Amino acid sequence: ALFEKAIEAFDYCTAINDKFSSAYFNKANALVQLEKYAEAIDNYKEVIHIEEAQAITCCYIGECYEKLEDTESAAYYYKKAIDLDEEFSDAWVGLGIIHDMKGDVQAAIECLDKAVLLSPLNADHWFIFAEALEKVGQTERARTAYEKVIQLDIENIEAWLDYSTFVFENDNSLKALEIIQEALTHKPENADLIYRKVIYL
């Protein structure tokens, strides 16, 4: 309801001044929260019509197309974001995800590798990278990436679970159990971690 009220307020702003790019941009962000991706795209594009295209706006358009599973349009806008700012790591991640969706995991890894180089402290980037590396059997690199995720985001339950699964499949249940034990020192009351511990035991 708050996002809908915000959208109404932004509509009021643009009714008064139809060249108020910030209102379109923030309205688009609110529409994304409501999963109205097609409408969000229209508002992000309005921003580009009013002012020069920026990497962040193009990247957000790419993300909306990605959600709509329009991989061609998503790739176009992610590439456009990279053309505008080659060091915009989110766009490299987005392009990597699109390559992965198309089944070209090797191209995805190249994009994700670039992203983690640009944003080495972004746990989400490392997580996506770890999963891609695991897919192509680059076990040691995947292990390093998973370790990086939990180092950077110690409270990410999903990361601990996925890392333990990876270790279970590539090493043994004892090592996987050790990882869950460590996770439980940070999140002792988490039901998913406790359940997984029982499975490994």
Side-chain angles (χ1 to χ4, degrees):
L2 289 175
F3 288 119
E4 278 151 7
K5 282 184 178 173
I7 288 163
E8 280 177 32
F10 293 132
D11 281 340
Y12 186 68
C13 293
T14 55
I16 296 166
N17 177 4
D18 64 0
K19 296 285 183 279
F20 190 20
S21 61
S22 292
Y24 290 109
F25 186 80
N26 289 305
K27 180 185 173 184
N29 290 344
L31 287 162
V32 167
Q33 296 299 323
L34 297 171
E35 297 181 6
K36 295 182 175 180
Y37 302 116
E39 282 182 63
I41 288 166
D42 291 341
N43 281 274
Y44 285 131
K45 285 183 177 176
E46 199 62 48
V47 176
I48 292 172
H49 288 318
I50 295 165
E51 57 184 51
E52 279 185 30
Q54 291 184 354
I56 191 167
T57 313
C58 292
C59 188
Y60 285 175
I61 294 172
E63 283 176 15
C64 289
Y65 277 122
E66 182 191 316
K67 295 285 188 191
L68 295 169
E69 294 182 8
D70 181 347
T71 53
E72 294 305 318
S73 299
Y76 172 82
Y77 278 97
Y78 284 137
K79 284 175 186 168
K80 194 168 179 176
I82 290 163
D83 287 342
L84 290 164
D85 180 0
E86 207 177 317
E87 296 190 357
F88 197 73
S89 64
D90 285 358
W92 285 105
V93 170
L95 192 56
I97 289 168
I98 296 302
H99 282 308
D100 188 28
M101 284 168 80
K102 289 177 166 183
D104 190 349
V105 189
Q106 203 50 55
I109 284 168
E110 286 168 24
C111 291
L112 295 165
D113 199 6
K114 180 89 175 170
V116 295
L117 276 171
L118 291 167
S119 294
L121 302 178
N122 188 310
D124 292 338
H125 291 5
W126 280 105
F127 200 175
I128 296 163
F129 191 34
E131 289 173 337
L133 290 165
E134 189 180 351
K135 265 187 192 177
V136 293
Q138 291 194 29
T139 313
E140 289 315 306
R141 288 185 78 198
R143 189 188 306 279
T144 304
Y146 275 121
E147 283 169 1
K148 201 84 181 165
V149 180
I150 56 176
Q151 191 185 327
L152 292 166
D153 187 4
I154 215 156
E155 299 200 345
N156 188 331
I157 304 296
E158 196 186 336
W160 283 106
L161 292 168
D162 282 10
Y163 182 35
S164 80
T165 302
F166 169 82
V167 169
F168 178 77
E169 289 170 355
N170 290 283
D171 300 308
N172 56 59
S173 54
L174 191 63
K175 282 189 179 178
L177 177 61
E178 284 170 12
I179 286 162
I180 293 299
Q181 301 270 43
E182 193 187 336
L184 282 162
T185 63
H186 306 292
K187 288 281 187 180
E189 301 298 316
N190 185 270
D192 290 330
L193 293 173
I194 294 165
Y195 181 65
R196 186 65 68 90
K197 180 181 175 177
V198 173
I199 290 171
Y200 292 146
L201 285 167

